[in-house]
Amino acid sequence: MFLGHAQLSDTHWVPPIHSRSSISLEDYHIYVSSPIEGILSGSGREGTSDSGWGFTLPFGNVTGVFGFKATYRGSNLSVFVDTSELNTVLRDKGLVVTSSPAPIYLSLRIRSEFHAGHLTPKGMAALGTSFRLGSIPQGSDLGDTNFFASFMATEDNTTVTISDYDSNVVFAGPNAQNVGSVTFTFDKEETYVVSGYTNDVANYNGFIGALVTSNKPIAVNTGNALGSFANTNGARDFAMDQVVPVDKVGKSYIVIEGKGSADIERPMVIATEPNTEVYVNEALVTVLNDAGDHVLIDNVHYQGITHRNMYISSSKDVYVYQFLAGDANPETVGMNFIPPLSCSFEKELNRIPFVDEIGEEFYETALLVVTKTGATLKVNDEEVTQEPESVVGNPNWVTYRLEGYTGNVSIVSTEPLSAGLIGFNSSAGFAGHYSGFGAGHSEQETELCDNVVTELYTKIDDAPEEAGVWTNPNGIMHSGFFDPNTDITGIYNYRADTDCGIVEVELDVSNIVVAKNSGGDNSITVCETDTSFNLYDMLEGQPDIGGIWQNAENGETFNGNFDPSTFTSGIYSYGFPENPPCDAVEAVIDVEVVAEIDSIEAVLLSPQLAKNGSSVQVNTIGGVGNFEYRIDGGPWQESPIFNNLNNGDHVITMRDDSGCNPEFTTTIYTLSYPTFFTPNGDSYNDTWKIDGLDISTSSEIYIFNRYGKLLKQIDPLEEGWDGTYLGHNLPSDDYWFKILYTNRDGERKGFVAHFTLKR
């Protein structure tokens, strides 16, 4: 029997194997492949030894080349230990295989004249500190059957304890700790192996469900070398696998029946917590009262037409070990460690090399595939047309059994998938399950900003749609909104129960990024004649260096140096547009550049001879800025316009509030006439006249009634007209006047208008 799982990783740890029978171990074969295009290099070594082997692998779409394999012979090689090496810390045993720059699938395939086995390490997913062990529940001693468990440390000073098994279990080999538990300490890449032989009845199934704990991450292999359900001599084979820690198993599993007998084709469930309810096809079959308890699920629960499958679920996390075979012959028994369902399964399982061989032996094969309902499935780029088998109790998934594949195999689905493999050759068979162990459990890192409350859910890659539960690094329930001002840093755990199974993410929230400070906004005024300066010094607060300066109007960037003689007034921004994980920040400076003024002028807005007062506007020549104005020494104002001016000369002064220009003055003469008068003897507005006429110019004023009759000629320097004619008061009415005068330019002007007499 050869069986296996596949897991991409750039490092694989392979603890050694112990068989009670040395003749069952003749040679082993290393198979390496990768789905990534390029040239891959790697090396393998025996435990802590510096000696080993290397490989260079063209991989990806390289025609005719798919993987690397090497053959090693002899039962005393590094992947095997004999009885004398049990219960002992070992150096130079087991394998450590690394690759660069891409991760690899690694297969360890074992064969002898009558037996075969396959073990695929799971890389980083295999490492943990708590495990439950599984093996075949055996019913007799066939002379060379056993159970074994092997361990490899990944750090120095690692202590491992094996407990929670039948106290009557008897371990083989020297220095056995037959006291109800086993404890040992070893260093990085050292190994340790325990085994129990079936010549002791307690060893038939007393070690199943044993608890393994450690203070630092380890890799664990478990199973039988050899093992059997049958009592018939010779009906046994390798049944072993590398397992993952408790925190990477789940509550939902699908198993696909192989081609073995009903006695062999039975999955086994091991509880990780007390009072675990176990369901098959959504029907309750048993309750496991204690952690480590196990149950074999009867073959009658498999269902289907073209092939058969089974849906296993539980109220709490469980391990599922599947026993299956490539043929009804009991000699082909094997054990397959099954991953929990996950929407995070890979969608591609490709570059699986030489699926139908171990060394020089070949097998008839079939692929066992689980994928989401409605998915399009391809094998070696050919779409699968076979109808899938539905899964009772979980309509979200379907299964396939596809026969006749040999050589190199790629399996691709439009949805998450996992794939198994079975085969048969005479008295040997194989079975394997290729899937992303730990796919439902991932360790992710994130960067958060120190000035933003962040919803942690948004930081999970491929986050499930279903709502989950957060706990903080102290294991306390958490809202999932991280506030850097109040929350502690560390590992935040997210767990969601989805239609794909349990999804659990350990989000490392340790990297808190200090947000960039762009400073505060400001408004400044500069003179066109000022020297260049750096706008950075004009920002408020304490901005960080390294930001980008930009002209907000045209988008042009510059170094922040501002030359008033060439730059114009406008908005200039300073900021950090790329500031992950923090938001972009920006501050602006509103710059007014005051140009040098040549002169000012005052112009009339009203006619030359206006009604009831004149209006004047002051214009600047050759400059732009914020200016203030006053007339005849009065108060300053921002408006350049003055209204209702009396007749005469007016001195207008302009100043620049930036200090960029000196004060400018100009004079303007205004002339207006009153539009009415009230000769009622109150000494106010009793006569009509035009005040402020320039005495240096000659002026003549004539007054008429509406019929054109001349009523009065008045002297501009006298008191004016009192509203009488020949000593009689004239009635209220409109009257006309005509003025003839010479302006300051020497031009003779005439003007006619009317005014009102009011009694």
Side-chain angles (χ1 to χ4, degrees):
M1 168 66 63
F2 104 65
L3 53 134
H5 304 268
Q7 176 68 49
L8 280 171
S9 184
D10 57 10
T11 304
H12 292 273
W13 296 265
V14 188
I17 297 162
H18 171 68
S19 176
R20 186 177 171 186
S21 169
S22 62
I23 64 172
S24 65
L25 305 174
E26 294 183 6
D27 53 64
Y28 71 86
H29 311 264
I30 301 297
Y31 289 78
V32 177
S33 63
S34 178
I36 313 299
E37 296 182 10
I39 300 297
L40 182 75
S41 63
S43 64
R45 65 182 187 278
E46 300 174 354
T48 60
S49 172
D50 292 331
S51 64
W53 42 267
F55 59 86
T56 299
L57 172 66
F59 60 100
N61 294 328
V62 180
T63 302
V65 179
F66 200 88
F68 163 88
K69 63 179 178 179
T71 298
Y72 299 84
R73 302 189 184 279
S75 60
N76 62 345
L77 293 173
S78 62
V79 296
F80 308 133
V81 298
D82 61 29
T83 304
S84 66
E85 295 173 304
L86 295 174
N87 315 310
T88 304
V89 174
L90 302 172
R91 300 174 61 85
D92 305 339
K93 286 290 186 176
L95 295 175
V96 180
V97 182
T98 60
S99 63
S100 179
I104 58 171
Y105 295 123
L106 174 68
S107 299
L108 171 64
R109 308 183 189 184
I110 303 167
R111 65 166 303 280
S112 64
E113 183 178 358
F114 302 107
H115 307 295
H118 179 288
L119 188 148
T120 304
K122 296 163 184 65
M124 294 298 297
L127 302 185
T129 58
S130 181
F131 304 79
R132 288 283 176 179
L133 303 180
S135 56
I136 293 176
Q138 303 184 81
S140 64
D141 179 27
L142 301 184
D144 55 4
T145 48
N146 76 337
F147 70 78
F148 82 92
S150 58
F151 314 91
M152 178 177 284
T154 61
E155 299 180 26
D156 288 344
N157 199 30
T158 297
T159 298
V160 176
T161 298
I162 310 171
S163 62
D164 200 19
Y165 54 85
D166 187 336
S167 60
N168 294 311
V169 164
V170 178
F171 293 105
N175 307 314
Q177 300 179 45
N178 292 313
V179 292
S181 66
V182 176
T183 298
F184 55 90
T185 298
F186 55 173
D187 288 333
K188 181 178 180 180
E189 296 172 358
E190 292 182 338
T191 60
Y192 194 95
V193 185
V194 298
S195 180
Y197 298 166
T198 51
N199 54 5
D200 286 286
V201 174
N203 292 348
Y204 288 179
N205 57 20
F207 200 60
I208 295 173
L211 174 65
V212 176
T213 58
S214 61
N215 64 334
K216 297 178 181 179
I218 59 174
V220 179
N221 293 339
T222 186
N224 312 90
L226 307 163
S228 174
F229 281 101
N231 294 321
T232 303
N233 191 35
R236 72 269 192 243
D237 211 334
F238 287 97
M240 60 187 180
D241 207 348
Q242 187 167 95
V243 294
V244 299
V246 171
D247 60 5
K248 291 185 174 66
V249 298
K251 297 183 177 70
S252 300
Y253 297 81
I254 293 175
V255 291
I256 302 173
E257 187 181 31
K259 294 186 176 182
S261 66
D263 289 340
I264 292 176
E265 296 282 347
R266 293 181 289 171
M268 181 173 68
V269 177
I270 300 176
T272 64
E273 298 181 53
N275 301 315
T276 297
E277 299 171 354
V278 178
Y279 299 83
V280 175
N281 302 330
E282 287 209 314
L284 179 67
V285 294
T286 191
V287 176
L288 300 176
N289 296 322
D290 296 313
D293 285 355
H294 70 277
V295 60
L296 280 172
I297 308 298
D298 196 279
N299 181 269
V300 298
H301 293 287
Y302 278 108
Q303 64 80 40
I305 300 173
T306 60
H307 63 277
R308 303 202 303 169
N309 59 45
M310 185 189 304
Y311 176 52
I312 300 173
S313 59
S314 57
S315 60
K316 299 177 183 180
D317 289 348
V318 294
Y319 280 73
V320 173
Y321 292 85
Q322 183 184 7
F323 302 108
L324 71 173
D327 185 75
N329 186 339
E331 296 178 353
T332 64
V333 63
M335 183 183 75
N336 210 4
F337 181 57
I338 303 297
L341 294 176
S342 173
C343 284
S344 299
F345 280 156
E346 304 97 328
K347 294 183 179 179
E348 297 184 5
L349 292 168
N350 54 25
R351 304 303 180 228
I352 302 173
F354 313 111
V355 296
D356 59 333
E357 71 172 67
I358 303 177
E360 298 176 357
E361 296 294 326
F362 294 88
Y363 305 81
E364 297 179 4
T365 62
L367 303 178
L368 309 177
V369 181
V370 178
T371 190
K372 293 295 292 292
T373 302
T376 298
L377 183 68
K378 291 184 177 181
V379 178
N380 294 341
D381 294 327
E382 293 290 333
E383 184 173 339
V384 174
T385 58
Q386 175 183 310
E387 287 296 319
E389 197 71 53
S390 60
V391 177
V392 173
N394 194 332
N396 300 301
W397 298 86
V398 294
T399 63
Y400 292 84
R401 186 163 73 189
L402 309 170
E403 300 188 14
Y405 289 95
T406 61
N408 305 318
V409 171
S410 293
I411 307 172
V412 178
S413 175
T414 55
E415 297 289 343
L417 69 87
S418 64
L421 186 66
I422 59 172
F424 172 69
N425 179 352
S426 184
S427 62
F430 62 83
H433 194 103
Y434 292 85
S435 180
F437 281 88
H441 299 71
S442 65
E443 297 177 2
Q444 300 179 19
E445 296 181 358
T446 188
E447 291 182 335
L448 301 183
C449 189
D450 73 334
N451 66 354
V452 176
V453 175
T454 303
E455 185 179 4
L456 295 178
Y457 179 85
T458 63
K459 299 299 181 179
I460 298 176
D461 297 334
D462 299 322
E465 295 180 359
E466 292 82 353
V469 177
W470 285 97
T471 53
N472 74 3
N474 293 330
I476 300 172
M477 295 287 291
H478 190 268
S479 67
F481 288 85
F482 182 86
D483 186 341
N485 295 314
T486 58
D487 287 325
I488 61 175
T489 58
I491 304 298
Y492 282 74
N493 183 274
Y494 176 82
R495 187 177 176 90
D497 193 353
T498 75
D499 62 2
C500 301
I502 295 295
V503 173
E504 188 168 1
V505 179
E506 293 180 352
L507 189 64
D508 188 346
V509 184
S510 298
N511 192 358
I512 307 300
V513 177
V514 178
K516 294 293 186 181
N517 181 6
S518 60
D521 299 344
N522 199 1
S523 297
I524 62 172
T525 301
V526 298
C527 303
E528 188 180 49
T529 57
D530 287 346
T531 58
S532 297
F533 63 95
N534 199 302
L535 286 176
Y536 179 87
D537 299 328
M538 301 295 106
L539 293 165
E540 299 288 347
Q542 296 180 326
D544 293 326
I545 62 174
I548 296 175
W549 281 102
Q550 190 173 45
N551 185 324
E553 294 182 0
N554 57 28
E556 294 181 355
T557 59
F558 65 107
N559 62 5
N561 288 325
F562 191 91
D563 185 350
S565 66
T566 57
F567 280 70
T568 60
S569 298
I571 303 296
Y572 295 86
S573 66
Y574 175 79
F576 297 87
E578 298 294 334
N579 191 27
C582 301
D583 294 333
V585 292
E586 180 184 82
V588 298
I589 296 182
D590 187 351
V591 183
E592 180 185 16
V593 179
V594 179
E596 188 174 10
I597 296 172
D598 295 330
S599 62
I600 65 170
E601 64 176 1
V603 296
L604 283 170
L605 295 179
S606 57
Q608 244 182 351
L609 192 60
K611 296 179 180 180
N612 295 328
S614 301
S615 294
V616 174
Q617 177 173 304
V618 182
N619 296 328
T620 59
I621 300 173
V624 177
N626 291 327
F627 307 125
E628 293 181 319
Y629 311 86
R630 69 178 178 180
I631 191 167
D632 299 331
W636 292 98
Q637 65 180 48
E638 294 182 356
S639 173
I641 296 174
F642 297 93
N643 296 311
N644 302 317
L645 298 181
N646 295 328
N647 295 348
D649 287 311
H650 298 279
V651 177
I652 299 177
T653 305
M654 187 213 74
R655 70 180 181 187
D656 174 5
D657 64 0
S658 68
C660 294
N661 290 284
E663 289 188 356
F664 287 83
T665 60
T666 187
T667 301
I668 189 169
Y669 174 74
T670 64
L671 185 61
S672 63
Y673 66 91
T675 57
F676 70 95
F677 75 112
T678 58
N680 54 13
D682 62 358
S683 300
Y684 178 74
N685 210 24
D686 282 339
T687 62
W688 185 92
K689 62 181 295 187
I690 298 176
D691 292 322
L693 285 171
D694 193 340
I695 60 174
S696 65
T697 62
S698 59
S699 302
E700 303 172 11
I701 300 175
Y702 304 91
I703 297 174
F704 306 88
N705 66 11
R706 67 173 58 212
Y707 305 108
K709 181 178 180 180
L710 178 63
L711 303 178
K712 182 75 173 178
Q713 178 180 359
I714 60 175
D715 187 336
L717 301 180
E718 294 180 350
E719 292 183 358
W721 181 49
D722 62 3
T724 64
Y725 180 69
L726 299 178
H728 298 283
N729 291 333
L730 294 179
S732 297
D733 201 353
D734 283 345
Y735 295 85
W736 295 82
F737 74 93
K738 177 181 180 180
I739 181 172
L740 300 173
Y741 66 98
T742 302
N743 66 18
R744 290 183 173 180
D745 295 330
E747 296 175 319
R748 190 66 174 169
K749 297 287 186 178
F751 183 78
V752 176
H754 64 86
F755 62 91
T756 301
L757 186 156
K758 296 182 180 180
R759 297 253 180 217

